[in-house]
Amino acid sequence: MGFIRPRTMWIAIALSILLNLNPAEAGTRNSPPDSINPVDLETFTRGFLAGIMKANHVPGAVFVAIHNDKVISCFGMGTADLETHRPMTADTVVRTASISKVLTSIAVLTLCERGKMSLDDDVNRYLKGISVPSKPWDSPVTIRNLLTHTGGFEDRWTATEADDPVAEVSFSKSLSHIMPRRVFPPGEVYCYSNYGMALAGAAVEGATRRNFQSLVKKTILNPLGMTKSGFTIDQGMEKDLATGYFSAPDPYPAQMAYFKEVPAISFCSTARDMGNLLRALLKDGQLNGRQVIPQEAVKKLLTPAFFNHPSVKGATLGMYESQAGDVEGIEHGGDVDGFTSLLFLAPKKSFGFFVAFNGDVSSMRDYLREALADRYLSGSRPRKPAAPTTTTPSTPKGDEGAQRPTETEDISGSYRHIRYSRSTVEKAYLMLGPTVTISRSEDGSLTVSYPEAWDRSTQEFHPEGKDLFVSEDGAHLALRRDPSGRVKYIFIGDAYETYEPVPLMENPRTTRILLWSFGAALLISAAMFSFGTFKAKSTRWYEDAPRWHQKWAWILCFWILGWSFLLSIRLCDLNMGYSFRLGIPWQVKSLFTLPILGCLTLIPPTLALARRPMDSKPFELPLFLCCFGLGAVFLGFLNTWNLLGFKF
């Protein structure tokens, strides 16, 4: 996720004010939601977008807003394609990325209302040619689990893209080849999963025996009048498709990607079409007097169905709760190379909007949401934290029997997001990755510091109950513990923000220390081998250990192989990283033989130590044991990051 520096945000806001506001309009701020002025909203939004797009070098945007079942603003601005200078309009097709999950959820919930599926059925009942492995001691993965991202899957991205759009048409055939491992019991914790939502789409195909894309088009998109929308791009959509850009001082185009997890990420649409979807969602599935989506399906889509913790915002069957100022909302964002988007609904205010940029700075959409909520929906500023209380919230699932900590227990440390691959080489991307740091003060409050690259302000949370804290803007931080009483998860603000403690050996600081140690072992091995070789040939000083330098040769060979592997993998990632999305090339896979060869080079020095441990000068043996011992640690280090063996 990208973030805008606060200074950049204020520049953008100032630009929007200078471009669009005058003293006469100042009185419209925080007006009641039933009196939104369409002209004022569009003028303000255009100005705000112009400022924030200029500050972040984003070419274009589309926007549509709905209030009281009416489209009060719908426009495109900026450029859809910098090469042809094609303008962005309300009919420009954009990639909505993960907002695709909203459409997939609607399809599933519609079939449930029609009796063709059940939310609590094992997903394997509907899958064809693929089966989610079951565990005797665990419950099956249900459709409900998939829609609430509680199926328990780890995250992976290698081999999830295809060379051409043909693979998208028959996406369900690819799912068995890219299935991630299950790492959590179903229903234990929210762990965002593209694969889980793709399985839901495959279940739709199994339940109806029809192609997913065509079924959605016929039963949802056509009744909604969304004629330029779909999970596959037809000729009519292609000519109006915006080009996505990586935002930089000089934006450059992103490569068009085709996905195997189609139901989770491939949906494309226009601002005008998304306006019809917003109207239906805000009016119980009705559009122009016709019931186009079952009322119960819409209700389930907009009603929280899973909570990591009772006091932390939860997830619905396809979306998630959010907060904009003091306005409660339901939303879903989307990010894919070159595009970022947001669908936001405030059902109690009968208001919603959709925005998409052909740039990759995702925080722009969040600042727009805050600005619109503050100006048109909020009746007051966000609430201050409640006074500390001893009330304990109800125990979340998976927390039964946990030993509660004392008030002074220290939970300080490093935490990382739970959405990552635990069983494949992708885990190595976390090796020096950023972590969230939590420190606890004497008064019991917590300070949460985010990585500098995230550009998020440090937050302070004050005690509100056992294992529950609240910030000044009303956001909650909650803990969940394992049966021994140790922190298992930390939840910050909403369902997605779930973190786990980082083990000591996987902490970035520990990793840096180990890498420096491995580098020192390489240099010592090279120096001692060179020194021993020189002495053995030139002086009688080394005659009592004529073969010892040969043992250093084996250790040196081990470290050369090890560092050659690490540096080669790094270079491959820098130069071929994008192609990993299509699958890891055989050239890269062949590099994983190097650590195995390195293991073989440790056999001769091991035998030498066993047979003639003192066959050396006194100062050599400690150095040799150090380098030899670090070699064993190095193999454990590679195994920790799934770099030992062929874990693809």
Side-chain angles (χ1 to χ4, degrees), residues 419-563:
R419 187 188 177 192
Y420 67 93
S421 176
R422 290 160 170 78
S423 63
T424 72
V425 295
E426 295 171 46
K427 183 182 178 182
Y429 282 95
L430 299 177
M431 190 180 293
L432 296 174
T435 60
V436 172
T437 302
I438 297 180
S439 57
R440 188 165 187 169
S441 61
E442 293 183 0
D443 64 357
S445 62
L446 301 180
T447 300
V448 181
S449 302
Y450 299 96
E452 184 178 354
W454 292 13
D455 208 4
R456 292 173 66 173
S457 300
T458 299
Q459 290 181 284
E460 275 207 23
F461 292 86
H462 304 282
E464 193 179 52
K466 280 192 175 180
D467 290 347
L468 182 65
F469 303 80
V470 64
S471 66
E472 290 186 0
D473 62 359
H476 281 92
L477 183 153
L479 313 180
R480 186 187 298 180
R481 301 178 181 275
D482 62 20
S484 67
R486 284 178 289 204
V487 175
K488 188 175 184 180
Y489 304 116
I490 284 187
F491 312 113
I492 305 177
D494 57 40
Y496 184 84
E497 298 280 341
T498 301
Y499 300 87
E500 64 182 9
V502 180
L504 176 62
M505 295 305 295
E506 297 180 16
N507 190 293
R509 181 177 298 178
T510 304
T511 300
R512 291 186 180 91
I513 293 173
L514 288 175
L515 289 174
W516 279 107
S517 301
F518 300 150
L522 172 63
L523 295 177
I524 292 172
S525 299
M528 293 304 298
F529 170 73
S530 301
F531 176 76
T533 301
F534 174 77
K535 285 292 183 180
K537 292 182 178 180
S538 63
T539 70
R540 298 179 61 185
W541 178 85
Y542 214 76
E543 288 180 356
D544 60 339
R547 295 187 302 275
W548 188 254
H549 65 284
Q550 297 176 10
K551 313 305 182 293
W552 279 105
W554 288 109
I555 292 295
L556 177 59
C557 184
F558 170 84
W559 285 113
I560 289 175
L561 287 171
W563 274 104

Side-chain angles (χ1 to χ4, degrees), residues 107-121 123 125-126 143 199-208:
V108 172
L109 294 172
T110 297
L111 290 177
C112 289
E113 291 306 310
R114 294 175 179 174
K116 295 186 177 181
M117 297 179 73
S118 173
L119 288 173
D120 296 310
D121 279 343
V123 66
R125 174 179 176 180
Y126 304 103
I143 301 295
L199 274 185
V204 168
E205 289 191 336
T208 61

Side-chain angles (χ1 to χ4, degrees), residues 130-182:
I130 181 177
S131 177
V132 178
S134 59
K135 301 177 181 179
W137 62 89
D138 206 355
S139 56
V141 177
T142 66
I143 301 295
R144 186 185 301 275
N145 292 146
L146 298 181
L147 297 191
T148 55
H149 296 278
T150 58
F153 295 102
E154 66 179 353
D155 191 59
R156 64 174 300 173
W157 55 268
T158 55
T160 58
E161 293 187 14
D163 289 314
D164 54 59
V166 175
E168 290 190 324
V169 178
S170 55
F171 72 91
S172 58
K173 295 180 180 179
S174 304
L175 296 182
S176 61
H177 304 296
I178 61 172
M179 181 179 290
R181 196 177 72 176
R182 289 175 56 195

Side-chain angles (χ1 to χ4, degrees), residues 156-161 260 576-586 588-589:
R156 64 174 300 173
W157 55 268
T158 55
T160 58
E161 293 187 14
K260 297 176 183 178
M576 306 168 60
Y578 188 87
S579 66
F580 291 177
R581 302 181 186 189
L582 304 176
I584 299 179
W586 67 267
V588 178
K589 290 181 177 180

Side-chain angles (χ1 to χ4, degrees), residues 52-130:
I52 212 164
M53 287 162 56
K54 182 177 180 180
N56 291 279
H57 312 285
V58 172
V62 296
F63 176 82
V64 60
I66 306 299
H67 186 234
N68 290 336
D69 197 30
K70 294 181 180 179
V71 177
I72 58 175
S73 181
C74 184
F75 62 86
M77 59 183 296
T79 307
D81 187 279
L82 293 176
E83 184 176 355
T84 63
H85 303 289
R86 177 162 48 92
M88 192 81 89
T89 71
D91 294 309
T92 298
V93 178
V94 294
R95 308 202 75 171
T96 70
S98 288
I99 293 177
S100 305
K101 297 175 178 65
V102 177
L103 278 299
T104 299
S105 298
I106 292 173
V108 172
L109 294 172
T110 297
L111 290 177
C112 289
E113 291 306 310
R114 294 175 179 174
K116 295 186 177 181
M117 297 179 73
S118 173
L119 288 173
D120 296 310
D121 279 343
D122 184 341
V123 66
N124 287 330
R125 174 179 176 180
Y126 304 103
L127 297 177
K128 308 297 180 184
I130 181 177

